[in-house]
Amino acid sequence: MDIEKIRKDFPVLSRMVRDRPLVYLDNAATTQKPAAVIEAITGLYRNYNANVHRGVYLLAEECTQAYEDSREAVRRFINAGSTEEIVFTRNATEALNLIAYTWAEANLRAGDEIVVTIMEHHSNYVPWFRLARRKGAVIRIVPARKDGELDMDAYRSLLSSRTKLVGIAHMSNVFGTINPVKEMIALAHRQGAAVVVDGAQSAPHIRIDMQDLDCDFFALSGHKMLGPTGIGVLYAKSSYFKSMEPFLSGGEMILRVTLDDIVYNDLPWKFEAGTPNYEGAIGLKAAIEYLEALGMDTIEAYERELTTYALEKMRTVPDIFVYGPSDPSKKCGIVAFNIRGVHSHDIGTILDSEGIAIRAGHHCAQPLMIDCGVSAMARASFYFYNTRQEIDMLVKALNKAKGMFGHVA
Amino acid sequence: MSLEELFKEIIIEHYQHPKNHGHLDHPDAKSEGSNPLCGDELQMEIAFEGDRIKDVMFSGNGCSISQSAASLMTEAIKGKAVGDARRIMEEYKHMLQGSTYNADMLGDLEALSDVKKFPARVKCASLSMAVLDQALQQKK
Ligand SMILES: Cc1ncc(COP(=O)(O)O)c(C=O)c1O
């Protein structure tokens, strides 16, 4: 990969921040956008904007085609069997809520069990927590081991015929751990449970294959993989989508409405009420094409190399504690850490003064923070446009932060 | 903006060696608050004697700004009449908002005056004031 050439594709990467070149290391929160994505969006508004699935005129045809082409791009990207299985949402959070309020609402009963991991982002925990409250269902938590990987023995023993739903982060947004979802899905299916995979962090970094994973539901967010904000995807096996009641209702999701009857639209439009975010979908298609041109395997290999380098260099900072797997083959692109004596929030401010953007706080994963015995962590997260030089700058700034707060016992 | 304006020596000193940190044996009022964005957590406990704040302690954890602000704030109001404490808190609020304020009333708290140049950190500096306010409201 020619990183210097790649970086030129991202206009914001050449800007200065506080008189220094921007070092953007908060990619797990959201990624920057290449010109191709920005131009796809402006191109829509300059050339062919019209509401989709409505008009009989050329603009509407072009726009509808572009919207549906985006769906096909997503299908190809995650290797789903059919575009019937691809529903556009606002983000991963909305995709996960859609499952909670439709399939899970209809299928869970009092006493049923929901198994989720300790590593979940709030968006793959809070909807299940609320569902469990509504239904009298029980939540069971898969713990993490000291090395930042899931405790698979515990997972096996939590599964039973009472398990109706399993929720797993494909990749942790804190530890960066890539969880063994394929094996976990097979184990859950043996108990007849449905499996929801939160792919918000994995889809940007590793090859995603619905045929290989065999999960029942998969959620992702466009903005974390070069796409614009406001567009996400819910994949569900069509057998699930077919059995599910609509989520939101109104225009677009119906075929026919009379005063005493309603016929729902075909899949996937049955789950897309109202004018969809076709701007977002068109931007997401450009993002997917960008990723495909680089190749997901190339991206993963480069990021793993970068993560290995980062782990090695960051460990030289005095009093640093790095969370999650220390084996770079078990994770990708994310390093969460604390430095004794310097709160993560202060680290964030000190790094910002050097033009370096990282995240500090609880990362919408408070159960995991509690499990680690902290209230906050700092997190550097990489994407394929980051470089070793940027990691060197990060490490230099971390040493500066440590120096400012001195050495405390 | 420079980091030295934010992380003044006195702020780091109060962060590393906070005053009034811990718990009271018999608090008359107790309150807690957090900054959901960054996970700063703070509890305040107050013992009153008549109209006076006889003692005040804080606990919790968080960044240098939230913790040093709690330390400096408790120092500033300890032993004061409730009305005077409120006036100090009011001046402190003005300072963080970037309005004019009475520096004499604030004393060492003025070390936090440059926090306003770091908008992302103003919440950290305000937390102790908000938690303290809740505790004071419990005074009969
Ligand atoms: C693992 C994981 N799941 C879900 C989400 C939620 O994504 P969004 O806020 O785009 O819905 C995030 C975002 O931080 C995440 O990291």
Side-chain angles (χ1 to χ4, degrees), chain A residues 18 341-343 345-346 349-350 352-353 360-362 375-376 400 404-406 408, chain B residues 1 3 6-7 12 15-16 36-41 61-64 118 121 124:
Chain A
R18 310 205 187 284
V342 198
H343 192 272
H345 219 186
D346 295 322
T349 297
I350 295 167
D352 178 50
S353 75
H362 59 54
S375 59
K400 175 177 167 180
M404 280 187 76
F405 280 78
V408 282
Chain B
M1 53 156 250
L3 286 178
L6 185 64
F7 300 119
I12 292 183
Y15 172 53
Q16 293 176 341
L37 217 65
C38 50
D40 288 347
E41 292 162 358
N61 58 69
C63 65
S64 63
F118 297 78
R121 305 306 297 271
C124 310

Side-chain angles (χ1 to χ4, degrees), chain B residues 60-100:
Chain B
N61 58 69
C63 65
S64 63
I65 304 302
S66 71
Q67 302 300 299
S68 65
S71 174
L72 287 159
M73 181 60 86
T74 50
E75 281 288 272
I77 63 159
K78 198 154 99 174
K80 296 258 175 12
V82 170
D84 290 340
R86 284 194 182 285
R87 273 186 283 281
I88 291 171
M89 287 158 67
E90 200 55 32
E91 291 306 317
Y92 181 70
K93 194 157 108 193
H94 289 156
M95 179 180 85
L96 291 182
Q97 287 169 342
S99 326
T100 52

